[in-house]
Amino acid sequence: MTDSPRFPPGFVLGAATASYQIEGAVREDGRSPSIWDTYSHTPGMVTNGDTGDVACDHYHRYAEDVALLRDLGVDSYRFSIAWPRIVPDGSGPVNAKGLDFYDRLVDELLAAGIEPAATLYHWDLPQALEDRGGWRVRATAEHFAAYTATVAERLGDRVPRWITLNEPWCSAFLGYAVGRHAPGAREGRGALAAAHHLLVGHGLAVQALRAAGVREVGITLNLDRNLPASPGSPADRAAVLRADTQHNLVWTEPLFAGRYPASEEGTWGELITGQDFRQDGDLELIGQPLDFLGINYYRPIVVADAPYREADPARRVATDNRYAEVRLEGVRHTAMDWPVAPGTFTDLLVDLKERYGAALPPVHITENGSAEHDAADADGTVHDTDRVAYLRDHIGALRAAIDAGVDVRGYYVWSLLDNFEWAHGYGKRFGIVRVDYDTLRRTPKDSYRWYREFIAAQRD
Ligand code: FCB
């Protein structure tokens, strides 16, 4: 490991998971259904009809999973808290047994010498709130703040790092525009209202966390590196601006520049000019100072003007009516069919620093990793050389961003365990630990051993 990059002293190395993807025990100890229970149980929504009913059964096996983290040697573990376990109706009475579970988990982590990092919302909205409008309505943001205050009061003394929202782009646009995530809605305006109310919820949650006196507060965004399919094409470059607006600027401009994106009208037209969900004071609420920005990064996206799809439908892999996404040729693709291009990770971070300067808080990479076509030996061992290469190269790209002056303080691998990969179900494996879904047996992969050595080498 002599050739592996070294990080500054105090740099946090960790691993991440999320509640619905690993916990299972969906009907236990007073947990109510979330929008992901409803969505995954709706025929046709998730590959193979998979649901999170059992998942990795982490709810019962958390001590075994913490032991895996301890042996890995991580400084920190990022997990998420399931709102439907804490406030089953979304608002109102608190379920003590739900809080007790995270209390036990936090104590287990601390006993293992691991710093807990808690995400308050990793997409499992109580279904009861979706039934009352979900993120389309402002009241949901207020209920989120009340739930946050409850959790912070119980765990704030022992959890130093808090993340309000995970990837609000997915909640708003995959959830309410494209329908590929729960609740499966396809509404342009509803998605824009959801995006705004998620940000309002973030701002209110920041206030609740500050009031509880926690050490560090941040938000996690999945910022995209959007590249033009034809750099010489003005139409493709305009499509990149629309993609940047919908993926990145809708969040970063209110959070770090105190304004809505200048390009929003050109992106959403009358959907945004006709909006009535913004209120005076919202930008101040949303733009409160943060201790860190969490960034999840996996791959670049190649963007073309929408008519591109008519020109060459074979290269189109995804689209909405604002731009088309096309395949990046000449690089390896993962099991998600995502292109592997680590240099784009450096570029994203350097550009972000250039854009926001001193207004950009220190960064934690709260997720990075890859799904690969894992083949397990009879004993469950996986020689996942592609995943090792992916992690090594992205960690190197991160080090390059630090060398270029970006203040990055931490890195969390996605994911500790193979788990429920949302609409893809269990078929896509991101873990550095294999989970056999028949027996629920955990088996560390080669990537787990590689990461363990990497962490140990940092401390030599
Ligand atoms: C991110 C999610 C995470 C996981 C990875 C692969 O978008 O935050 O839960 O599914 O992608």
Side-chain angles (χ1 to χ4, degrees), residues 21 122-123 166-167 170 296 298 338 367 414 421-422 430:
Q21 295 180 275
H122 202 126
W123 308 348
N166 177 72
E167 301 192 358
C170 295
N296 295 350
Y298 291 92
W338 290 352
E367 289 179 25
W414 184 270
E421 180 46 36
W422 307 113
F430 274 90

Side-chain angles (χ1 to χ4, degrees), residues 150-206:
T150 301
V151 176
E153 189 186 319
R154 178 71 176 268
L155 302 178
D157 56 337
R158 283 159 295 149
V159 176
R161 187 167 303 124
W162 292 83
I163 295 161
T164 55
L165 306 175
N166 177 72
E167 301 192 358
W169 177 81
C170 295
S171 303
F173 292 99
L174 293 183
Y176 290 92
V178 186
R180 281 302 287 145
H181 274 190
R186 290 167 181 246
E187 312 160 10
R189 238 186 83 74
L192 293 176
H196 185 67
H197 294 138
L198 282 153
L199 282 170
V200 170
H202 158 78
L204 294 170
V206 171

Side-chain angles (χ1 to χ4, degrees), residues 6 13 72-73 451-460:
R6 285 193 81 88
L13 288 165
L72 185 57
Y451 194 44
R452 184 170 59 191
E453 278 177 38
F454 175 78
I455 295 170
Q458 295 296 313
R459 302 194 176 131
D460 284 348

